[in-house]
């Protein structure tokens, strides 16, 4: 359902599954890991194709283990960490979701636009680079610059956004997808919070911690109308 937010000056986004689909990153990573693997062992099936199937049908945390077991790899314990490294460090082929592309075009120039994202620093930096977000946003904060203790729900990144945009929380909005951690800090600082809940999203059924419930919910950024 469409929502209208008034009195906003600063719009801050989450990254994964808010501006682009994390599934696209996974598929891009499987391509990179597949190439890496084919240089090291015989693969009777295309490993990237098989990893996509395992990702869609099985335990997402065990895609690499399952693949190696199927390939009768004698050294799973040593190979899996190397595959994770390859996956995290590859330069991703990803793109903004169409509604995110339209939202940035709609709000650019009129609002202070920011990004707050957790996750391994190099991985997140390369996503930001692939999506050209340093150029399109006023401020990008990757919380892993300070270490995992400052990942959401820690408020530090949100406080910096307030300071650098020159606004108090009441003129800020955070748009994100994960109620388990995304909304606690901005709620406590008086921000407005919008949960993007695309059909079929990973966190579609998670319930929030105390104080972590979003104030608004939409299925697409096309439904968000933001004004001064
Ligand atoms: Mg997210």
């Amino acid at each position: 359902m469409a929502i209208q937010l008034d009195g906003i000056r600063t719009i801050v986004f989450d990254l994964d599954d808010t501006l682009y689909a994390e599934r696209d990153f996974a598929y891009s990573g499987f391509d990179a890991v597949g190439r890496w693997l084919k240089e090291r062992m015989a693969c009777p099936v295309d490993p990237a194709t098989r990893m996509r199937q395992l990702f869609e049908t099985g335990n997402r945390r065990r895609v690499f283990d399952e693949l190696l077991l199927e390939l009768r790899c004698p050294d799973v314990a040593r190979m899996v960490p190397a595959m994770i490294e390859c996956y995290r460090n590859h330069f991703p082929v990803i793109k903004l979701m169409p509604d995110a592309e339209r939202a940035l075009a709609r709000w650019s120039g009129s609002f202070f636009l920011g990004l707050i994202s957790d996750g391994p620093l190099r991985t997140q930096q390369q996503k930001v680079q692939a999506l050209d977000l340093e150029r399109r946003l006023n401020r990008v904060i990757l919380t892993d610059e300070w270490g995992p203790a400052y990942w959401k729900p820690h408020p530090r990144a949100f406080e910096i956004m307030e300071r650098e945009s020159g606004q108090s929380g009441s003129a800020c909005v955070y748009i994100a997808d994960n109620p388990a951690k995304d909304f606690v800090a901005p709620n406590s600082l008086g921000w407005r919070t919008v949960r993007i809940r695309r059909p079929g999203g990973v966190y579609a059924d998670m319930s929030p911690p105390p104080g972590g419930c979003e104030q608004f919910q939409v299925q697409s950024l096309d439904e968000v109308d933001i004004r001064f």
Side-chain angles (χ1 to χ4, degrees), residues 144-204:
D144 204 40
E145 290 166 31
W146 309 311
Y150 292 95
W151 290 18
K152 293 173 279 188
H154 197 284
R156 181 174 181 172
F158 296 90
E159 291 163 353
I160 290 176
M161 281 295 177
E162 289 183 6
R163 199 160 65 234
E164 293 194 6
S165 68
Q167 302 296 330
S168 66
S170 62
C172 300
V173 58
Y174 190 53
I175 303 175
D177 71 293
N178 185 353
K181 63 174 185 176
D182 284 338
F183 305 118
V184 173
N187 278 342
S188 74
L189 292 169
W191 292 38
R192 269 162 281 183
T193 51
V194 177
R195 176 180 175 187
I196 175 93
R197 193 176 190 176
R198 293 194 177 81
V202 181
Y203 301 108

Side-chain angles (χ1 to χ4, degrees), residues 1-84:
M1 198 165 85
I3 59 167
Q4 182 183 324
L5 305 177
D6 292 300
I8 297 291
R9 294 284 180 176
T10 298
I11 304 171
V12 181
F13 300 94
D14 168 56
L15 180 58
D16 303 303
D17 278 331
T18 296
L19 291 181
Y20 85 96
E22 195 151 13
R23 171 180 276 105
D24 290 352
F25 178 83
Y27 279 23
S28 170
F30 295 154
D31 287 341
V33 172
R35 286 191 297 274
W36 182 89
L37 202 59
K38 281 197 276 192
E39 291 170 5
R40 284 162 180 80
M41 60 186 291
C43 300
V45 295
D46 178 58
T49 305
R50 186 62 190 133
M51 282 185 273
R52 291 184 186 204
Q53 291 167 344
L54 290 166
F55 179 82
E56 297 299 343
T57 57
N59 181 345
R60 292 183 175 185
R61 296 192 168 278
R62 286 190 46 85
V63 167
F64 297 157
D65 304 72
E66 293 293 337
L67 176 73
L68 293 176
L69 290 174
E70 290 182 10
L71 294 174
R72 300 182 192 284
C73 173
D75 201 4
V76 176
R78 190 180 58 84
M79 289 290 273
V80 168
M83 290 164 78
I84 292 173

